[in-house]
Amino acid sequence: MLYKCKIKKLDNTIEEAVLIEINGYELHCFISYCPFKIFENQFYEVELSYEIFNDYILDKSTSNIGFRKIDDSFKYEITAELKNNHLTLQNIQFEEDKYLINYSYLDNCLVTLTVDRISVSFIREIQAA
């Protein structure tokens, strides 16, 4: 899915790191695709995805829907509703993950997934509305 985001801060140390605001959430993301120069305080159309490098950790949850940053890294806990192999946080939906099918017994439940990073792909610049 495509989302409108605002760049809050570009990282001076890690070129691929960016702090964005999307649908009311501030996320420290890894830039996985960006074919043009981007600027702070500008708006862009983006796609979000997550990456898990090692252990796939998904548990039923009683926490509030949202993102919880872990330490000073790209790592997050995403608490969302699992619906038809998609993680849905109010108006943000992560595309189908081939491993989520193993958790179909938790469909329509609140779950927490630990991810190593949230990646952002910049599609195009858009005008602020």
Side-chain angles (χ1 to χ4, degrees), residues 23-52:
N23 293 344
Y25 294 105
E26 276 195 3
L27 299 171
H28 183 228
C29 296
F30 181 85
I31 300 171
S32 59
Y33 175 76
C34 187
F36 47 82
K37 190 157 177 62
I38 56 177
F39 302 94
E40 290 180 358
N41 299 311
Q42 295 296 315
F43 291 86
Y44 299 90
E45 189 172 64
V46 299
E47 290 180 328
L48 290 178
S49 60
Y50 58 78
E51 296 182 50
I52 299 171

Side-chain angles (χ1 to χ4, degrees), residues 96-120:
E96 186 172 344
D97 174 335
K98 65 182 177 182
Y99 295 106
L100 286 177
I101 198 154
N102 297 328
Y103 297 90
S104 59
Y105 63 94
L106 292 174
D107 205 41
N108 296 313
C109 291
L110 208 56
V111 297
T112 297
L113 177 66
T114 302
V115 300
D116 289 297
R117 69 182 181 201
I118 297 174
S119 296
V120 60

